[in-house]
Amino acid sequence: MNSGGYETVIGLEVHVHLKTQTKMFCRCRNLFGAQPNTHVCPVCTGQPGVLPVANGKAIEQAARAGLALGCRINSESVFARKQYFYPDLPKNYQISQYERPIAEKGHIMLGDRKINITRAHLEEDAGKLIHAESDVSLVDYNRTGTPLLEIVSEPEIDSPQEAAEYLKELRQVLRYCGISDCDMEKGSMRCDANVSLRKKGSKELGVKTELKNMNSFKAVEKALEYEIKRQEKVLGEGGRITQETRLWNEDKGTTRSMRSKEEAHDYRYFPEPDLPRLVIEAEKIKSIRDSIPELPAARRRRYIVQTGLSEYDAGVLTQEKEISDYFDAACGMLGDKSSENIKKLANWITVELLGKLNAEGSGFREDVISPPHMAELVGYIGAGTISGKMGKDIFEIMYNKGVSPGEVIREKGLKQITDGDQISAVCREVIESSPDIVDKYMQGKDGVLGVLVGNVMKKTRGQANPAMVNAKLRELMGRRQ
Amino acid sequence: MDITQIEKIAELARLHLTEKEKKEIPEKLTEILEYIDQLKELDTSGVPAELEQSGNLRLAEDIVDEFGKIEALTGNAPDFGDGFFRVKKIIE
Ligand SMILES: [Zn+2]
């Protein structure tokens, strides 16, 4: 983005909660939404004399994230203490990684744009503060010590829209790999944004501000838009940008300077004396790499290039791994794998199945209609055994009862009538019983043909092939002339 | 080491120093720093940094083992009520 002769430079720091059973350095349960202070122990509340023991699964998850983001995994990495005082941090320091993080130098592709990732490091989360009453703050240490991965991008993002795209892609990759839920509203994904402006064409970075407190992708976008305008105004009036942290206020749609004492950061990092360095063997890295599923970008490409789906359909089908897996499974079961049939399948999933699940407010579920049932349904429609309209009725029954389309067709006798003689007979009946309409048709009012087709469909309970009915009616009435 | 630096370190470490201490500490800390400077003169090229305990990090399996005696933790708190630790209001 550039306006007023300035270019925008954005870097994002994203924290995600790793999916594990236990915390990073103790075996308290890692659980969101529990009763306050029910999953705490001497380690995570910083009692004297305790020692941290690192969670192997969290380390594996962090390495998996690094690999999925194209990072190099450091065979040796080091934990460090980051020191500050705040009531949500009972030890008065946070165990993090500083000089040698677990992962470095990755990237995310946004179409043809490559956004580089500087590093990803492991750390433990702080507790939760609630500012409820007038003179006290309440502290819940359940979240204290839960495993976090901080993913830092290079300052290469050039607009608020691109920042949101980066976040969506990052979220998708991490969800595909089962690393995190990445739910911004629940706090399992948090994003801080650094933003600065520089004269167009200039190589030097301007003074940046750090934005915090955005609770959705939309909020990140809005906060950046606001902050860019604010900085443009300051610079335009000949002023200077102060390097500071600013809080986004969702209700007011503005950012404000955070003038707390904590602003004066001096974390005095040093290597954590209680934890030896973390060594990850090459073999382990290989086995983690092998556990990474085909990622969304690769799937989108496959759907567009190999399957001939539109970019939009490919995007909808890959929004969640479960949907994409479902599509792949059903696709494998299609008898006729013509691109026409595959497109039909994509449509039935994105429009009918997702439409219905979304309307019910439920996430994706494959158990309502199994992939083989879906493939069977599309197969019948593709082969002309049933019409699209009948397909919808059958889909409805399948959805509600979990039965196969074959069963519904047999039970209800819903097969499409494609027998010429049978259709002929019904068409004759309809023509005989509607002389007025036939007259109008004969006088050149082609529009009334639809009424006759409708009557035939009614008599056959929607089972006649509409194209055949249309042709047959024309043929029969043509003869009567 | 001068008083300003001492005051900054004290502030970061949440230490309250008396005027007397503020006068005495710079000298003591300077001595320590000089000792560190002496150490820095050693030629350590070719010697790998061993900052931490030797050996590799011991990893725990990701299996829940709750502490269970929560009262032992909450009981130490100056102010605890309705499931929460209570502290003086923090302004964001
Ligand atoms: Zn614990």
Side-chain angles (χ1 to χ4, degrees):
Chain A
M1 193 163 102
N2 91 81
S3 54
Y6 294 109
E7 278 177 351
T8 303
V9 181
I10 298 167
L12 297 179
E13 285 173 17
V14 176
H15 284 90
V16 296
H17 266 154
L18 299 177
K19 261 196 213 173
T20 57
Q21 293 298 311
T22 68
K23 294 188 181 183
M24 187 65 222
F25 297 112
C26 62
R27 304 290 76 79
C28 288
R29 191 179 289 280
N30 173 16
L31 184 67
F32 173 82
Q35 288 292 310
N37 296 301
T38 49
H39 300 289
V40 289
C41 75
V43 176
C44 55
T45 55
Q47 306 296 319
V50 297
L51 282 173
V53 184
N55 183 339
K57 177 73 191 273
I59 285 162
E60 197 182 301
Q61 291 283 50
R64 183 174 289 117
L67 289 169
L69 296 169
C71 291
R72 179 186 82 204
I73 302 301
N74 285 326
S75 58
E76 281 187 30
S77 66
V78 176
F79 286 101
R81 284 190 185 181
K82 175 181 179 176
Q83 353 233 357
Y84 62 94
F85 291 88
Y86 214 62
D88 63 5
L89 193 70
K91 293 199 297 289
N92 292 338
Y93 62 84
Q94 176 193 30
I95 303 178
S96 179
Q97 295 192 301
Y98 189 58
E99 273 176 35
R100 229 175 325 153
I102 187 162
E104 286 180 277
K105 295 192 168 66
H107 63 267
I108 270 184
M109 295 302 295
L110 302 175
D112 295 332
R113 283 268 295 158
K114 184 181 191 178
I115 308 295
N116 285 292
I117 289 169
T118 318
R119 57 186 272 147
H121 68 252
L122 267 165
E123 59 189 29
E124 52 176 347
D125 204 354
K128 208 170 113 192
L129 279 170
I130 299 164
H131 311 284
E133 301 162 49
S134 57
D135 53 346
V136 290
S137 291
L138 306 173
V139 198
D140 174 8
Y141 289 133
N142 280 344
R143 202 178 66 185
T144 309
T146 56
L148 277 184
L149 188 69
E150 177 172 341
I151 301 156
V152 184
S153 86
E154 288 289 314
E156 293 178 342
I157 296 166
D158 64 12
S159 70
Q161 293 71 35
E162 192 169 78
E165 268 178 59
Y166 169 92
L167 289 174
K168 278 179 202 151
E169 191 67 26
L170 178 61
R171 174 180 189 269
Q172 221 174 33
V173 169
L174 297 176
R175 285 177 61 96
Y176 264 63
C177 297
I179 290 160
S180 173
D181 291 333
C182 296
D183 187 331
M184 279 192 87
E185 267 149 48
K186 284 189 182 162
S188 64
M189 184 181 206
R190 306 198 287 267
C191 174
D192 299 337
N194 291 308
V195 56
S196 64
L197 299 183
R198 66 175 166 201
K199 274 261 174 277
K200 217 180 154 195
S202 162
K203 286 265 178 286
E204 214 169 305
L205 290 172
V207 177
K208 66 182 179 188
T209 55
E210 187 182 9
L211 306 182
K212 285 181 183 286
N213 200 36
M214 295 87 79
N215 294 322
S216 66
F217 292 157
K218 201 75 218 157
V220 172
E221 215 175 314
K222 283 194 291 186
L224 281 166
E225 275 166 10
Y226 174 87
E227 182 61 14
I228 290 164
K229 284 209 186 85
R230 190 191 69 85
Q231 290 191 12
E232 266 171 11
K233 187 159 179 283
V234 173
L235 293 172
E237 288 164 356
R240 283 179 169 214
I241 304 298
T242 315
Q243 181 159 354
E244 61 182 354
T245 301
R246 298 181 68 88
L247 287 183
W248 169 246
N249 183 321
E250 180 74 35
D251 297 332
K252 289 185 189 157
T254 58
T255 64
R256 70 170 167 82
S257 179
M258 194 173 134
R259 286 182 227 274
S260 74
K261 276 186 196 161
E262 305 307 319
E263 189 47 31
H265 290 318
D266 188 345
Y267 294 130
R268 295 151 295 145
Y269 284 96
F270 67 80
E272 166 62 63
D274 287 343
L275 293 165
R277 69 203 152 179
L278 165 61
V279 176
I280 308 181
E281 312 285 347
E283 214 171 291
K284 180 75 183 166
I285 295 177
K286 191 189 171 297
S287 87
I288 295 171
R289 190 189 296 278
D290 291 343
S291 74
I292 293 175
E294 186 187 16
L295 295 174
R299 292 189 194 214
R300 282 195 299 269
R301 210 175 312 126
R302 178 159 62 81
Y303 290 165
I304 295 167
V305 176
Q306 287 180 19
T307 317
L309 293 182
S310 69
E311 212 176 306
Y312 176 79
D313 281 342
V316 177
L317 287 171
T318 53
Q319 58 183 323
E320 298 288 350
K321 178 169 175 290
E322 290 68 26
I323 301 173
S324 173
D325 286 347
Y326 179 94
F327 172 72
D328 284 342
C331 205
M333 289 167 189
L334 278 179
D336 168 12
K337 290 191 178 57
S338 64
S339 77
E340 204 179 312
N341 243 16
I342 293 176
K343 273 179 205 167
K344 272 204 182 81
L345 173 64
N347 258 326
W348 277 89
I349 295 173
T350 58
V351 180
E352 303 301 331
L353 185 56
L354 290 181
K356 219 159 163 57
L357 289 170
N358 286 344
E360 286 178 3
S362 100
F364 182 74
R365 288 170 51 193
E366 70 156 58
D367 59 327
V368 283
I369 293 181
S370 69
H373 285 177
M374 184 58 103
E376 194 185 335
L377 177 67
V378 173
Y380 288 136
I381 299 163
T385 312
I386 54 172
S387 66
K389 165 78 183 68
M390 285 157 78
K392 284 189 188 181
D393 297 339
I394 295 168
F395 175 90
E396 202 66 33
I397 298 166
M398 290 165 69
Y399 188 92
N400 293 326
K401 298 191 175 159
V403 289
S404 81
E407 279 174 70
V408 181
I409 289 168
R410 271 192 301 281
E411 215 170 89
K412 305 250 166 189
L414 281 177
K415 243 183 177 127
Q416 179 159 267
I417 301 164
T418 51
D419 176 58
D421 292 343
Q422 214 180 327
I423 288 177
S424 238
V426 183
C427 287
R428 275 203 190 87
E429 265 179 56
V430 167
I431 289 170
E432 301 296 334
S433 61
S434 336
D436 297 354
I437 299 172
V438 175
D439 275 349
K440 279 182 190 156
Y441 177 77
M442 295 310 223
Q443 287 155 22
K445 287 187 183 160
D446 283 1
V448 298
L449 186 65
V451 180
L452 295 174
V453 173
N455 287 342
V456 174
M457 297 310 283
K458 226 179 270 168
K459 273 190 180 297
T460 59
R461 286 161 54 218
Q463 284 166 260
N465 178 315
M468 286 178 74
V469 171
N470 210 301
K472 182 56 77 182
L473 284 170
R474 283 173 191 277
E475 185 193 312
L476 288 173
M477 289 188 287
R479 277 206 187 142
R480 284 162 59 110
Q481 258 177 343
Chain B
M1 274 277 144
D2 56 29
I3 286 200
T4 338
Q5 282 169 305
I6 293 299
E7 280 175 341
K8 189 185 177 213
I9 294 168
E11 153 109 42
L12 286 168
R14 299 287 200 274
L15 292 174
H16 300 287
L17 302 180
T18 61
E19 287 309 312
K20 187 166 168 256
E21 285 168 326
K22 280 185 198 171
K23 281 192 193 108
E24 285 168 5
I25 287 174
E27 199 184 324
K28 287 181 180 166
L29 261 182
T30 305
E31 263 175 49
I32 294 170
L33 290 174
E34 276 168 7
Y35 174 63
I36 302 282
D37 283 339
Q38 258 182 44
L39 283 177
K40 278 187 188 162
E41 284 168 23
L42 276 174
D43 180 13
T44 57
S45 56
V47 182
E50 278 297 342
L51 290 161
E52 328 88 7
Q53 310 167 30
S54 56
N56 298 343
L57 186 65
R58 187 166 59 95
L59 301 179
E61 285 207 53
D62 187 28
I63 297 168
V64 174
D65 182 11
E66 295 275 10
F67 175 58
K69 292 165 280 183
I70 292 166
E71 306 72 39
L73 302 171
T74 58
N76 280 336
D79 192 0
F80 186 87
D82 292 333
F84 288 100
F85 292 90
R86 295 156 62 89
V87 296
K88 218 173 84 187
K89 178 93 177 172
I90 305 291
I91 303 141
E92 287 225 318

